[in-house]
Amino acid sequence: MSPEIKQMSKKDEIISASIEIFVNEGFDRPTMDSIASRAGVSKRTLYKYFPNKHALLDDILIQLVDEKQSGLNFKYSKEEDILIQVQGIIKHKTDHILCPSNLKLAKIILSEALKGEGFLKDMLEEVLKTEKVTLEWIQHAQDDGKLSKEEEPLIVLDFLNELVNGIIFFPILFGKKDNVTDKEIEDVAKMFLFLKGV
């Protein structure tokens, strides 16, 4: 096995251990020393990959997005109703982010972002760009005349995420409701198409 593969797997092991630690203990309580110990690495190895806990949280966010993307298998269909397709995209987004461990991580990430230290601000557009499957779907829907071409696919995706976050995700994150209904998914899809369709 090459050194690069070993280093990558060691980094993944640190990220995996850190997710468990942050979910169970929050972000502020664990120290870099305790994270190194629980991940089974030396402090030197931990700091080689992550200069601080915020850098660790950055990579955890990227991994969450990668996990979400790896499960995507939808492609744009000229034959299938556009509303049904949008509902499928929204359902996938909500299923992933609303699993209990991801909700806990989202609370931690949001809490750190709200501290106003510049944390995650530079990453938001990069995170959006990793949603390649959804971006391709938007491009095809625009080419087929089902979505307006007035805005770039990235802007349209950002708007869809804002709708999903504002109407579905944040109310659950803040304890206003316990789950998402099919009606809510349909309503978000209809709103998206009303505002971004042709």
Side-chain angles (χ1 to χ4, degrees), residues 107-120:
K107 287 180 182 178
I108 291 166
I109 290 166
L110 183 62
S111 170
E112 291 307 301
L114 291 175
K115 289 180 181 175
E117 299 168 354
F119 175 61
L120 294 180

Side-chain angles (χ1 to χ4, degrees), residues 68 89-90 93-94 124-125 128 131 134 138 151 153-171 188-189 191-192 195-196:
K68 180 173 77 171
I89 293 169
I90 295 169
K93 285 176 173 290
T94 56
L124 293 179
E125 189 166 316
L128 275 179
E131 289 198 46
T134 313
I138 290 168
E151 296 172 319
L154 198 61
I155 294 169
V156 177
L157 174 59
D158 189 35
F159 179 75
L160 176 60
N161 285 339
E162 286 174 0
L163 283 178
V164 171
N165 289 339
I167 297 171
I168 296 173
F169 176 57
F170 288 136
V188 172
M191 189 181 306
F192 171 73
L195 295 168
K196 297 299 176 186

Side-chain angles (χ1 to χ4, degrees), residues 20-46:
E20 184 179 332
I21 292 166
F22 291 153
V23 165
N24 292 327
E25 300 177 25
F27 183 75
D28 291 327
R29 186 170 158 213
T31 63
M32 289 293 276
D33 287 358
S34 70
I35 290 169
S37 174
R38 297 266 294 279
V41 299
S42 68
K43 287 190 286 184
R44 182 177 177 190
T45 299
L46 177 62

Side-chain angles (χ1 to χ4, degrees), residues 31-91:
T31 63
M32 289 293 276
D33 287 358
S34 70
I35 290 169
S37 174
R38 297 266 294 279
V41 299
S42 68
K43 287 190 286 184
R44 182 177 177 190
T45 299
L46 177 62
Y47 281 105
K48 174 182 174 183
Y49 295 110
F50 307 103
N52 54 50
K53 288 195 293 183
H54 281 153
L56 245 174
L57 207 52
D58 282 353
D59 269 37
I60 288 170
L61 177 59
I62 290 167
Q63 182 168 311
L64 285 176
V65 172
D66 286 346
E67 285 173 8
K68 180 173 77 171
Q69 288 302 297
S70 68
L72 290 178
N73 58 6
F74 55 81
K75 297 226 184 282
Y76 179 77
S77 168
K78 289 176 179 263
E79 291 77 35
E80 187 176 18
D81 185 284
I82 189 78
L83 177 62
I84 301 297
Q85 293 184 64
V86 175
Q87 285 176 238
I89 293 169
I90 295 169
K91 175 101 171 77

